Amino acid sequence: MGAGKAFSVGIVVASLLGVGLVDWATGENLGFFVFYFAPVAIAAWLLGGFGGVTVALGAAFLWLGIESVERDLAPTRFHLYWNGSIRLASFLIIALAVARLHTLLMRERELNTELAEAMAKVKQLHGLLPICATCKKVRNDQGYWEQIELYIESHSHAAFSHGICPECLKQLYAEIDRQERPG
């Protein structure tokens, strides 16, 4: 067990014993049932589902032990065990819910980190792009003019292949077309 986990276990045990001590000291007239939720939730958050369930069981048995010492068990044994079962169920629900919430939060943080890394890798063109009206070269960030294809390839994931559209073919090669046709 690492130092961090041992420290977490120490915090949980101390808080559980502290709640139990206050519960015992105040007697049976004051209910401290909800205060047991704190060590259970802390355990589930710091130690995970297994730790939370373990502390939930410990909290239920601690409460049962304190109540057993404070009461005469003969006439109320059923009520004591019934209340202990209800408390155990509520402690388990808290432990499992908090552990699940912690797991989901950690997964969300991982996904946000992955998203931030992916966004950092995405190259996106934005803003004004100075382009020559004649040769169509683009002025880059250093002030030099370069072919638009090279600029876009270096600032995005696009790649170019070249061809000639039908309109440019007619303009550029009109002479060749006339030579091939007689008359």
Side-chain angles (χ1 to χ4, degrees), residues 42-121:
I42 292 169
W45 188 266
L46 296 177
L47 304 173
F50 180 76
V53 167
T54 302
V55 173
L57 289 167
F61 285 114
L62 179 61
W63 175 86
L64 186 62
I66 290 169
E67 288 294 308
S68 297
V69 169
E70 291 179 349
R71 296 177 184 248
D72 176 22
L73 291 182
T76 61
R77 186 175 299 273
F78 171 76
H79 296 103
L80 184 67
Y81 293 139
W82 174 260
N83 288 341
S85 299
I86 296 300
R87 282 169 172 74
L88 175 60
S90 64
F91 296 156
L92 289 173
I93 289 169
I94 293 295
L96 295 174
V98 169
R100 179 69 176 147
L101 181 65
H102 186 256
T103 301
L104 291 174
L105 181 64
M106 291 298 107
R107 180 65 183 138
E108 181 184 9
R109 286 182 181 167
E110 289 173 12
L111 289 174
N112 283 340
T113 301
E114 291 174 15
L115 178 62
E117 290 171 359
M119 292 296 289
K121 291 179 183 176

Side-chain angles (χ1 to χ4, degrees), residues 115-132:
L115 178 62
E117 290 171 359
M119 292 296 289
K121 291 179 183 176
V122 171
K123 293 182 176 182
Q124 186 176 17
L125 295 174
H126 60 278
L128 292 175
L129 187 61
I131 186 167
C132 175

Side-chain angles (χ1 to χ4, degrees), residues 128-132 137-140 145:
L128 292 175
L129 187 61
I131 186 167
C132 175
K137 286 185 179 179
V138 176
R139 190 173 64 222
N140 63 22
W145 293 91

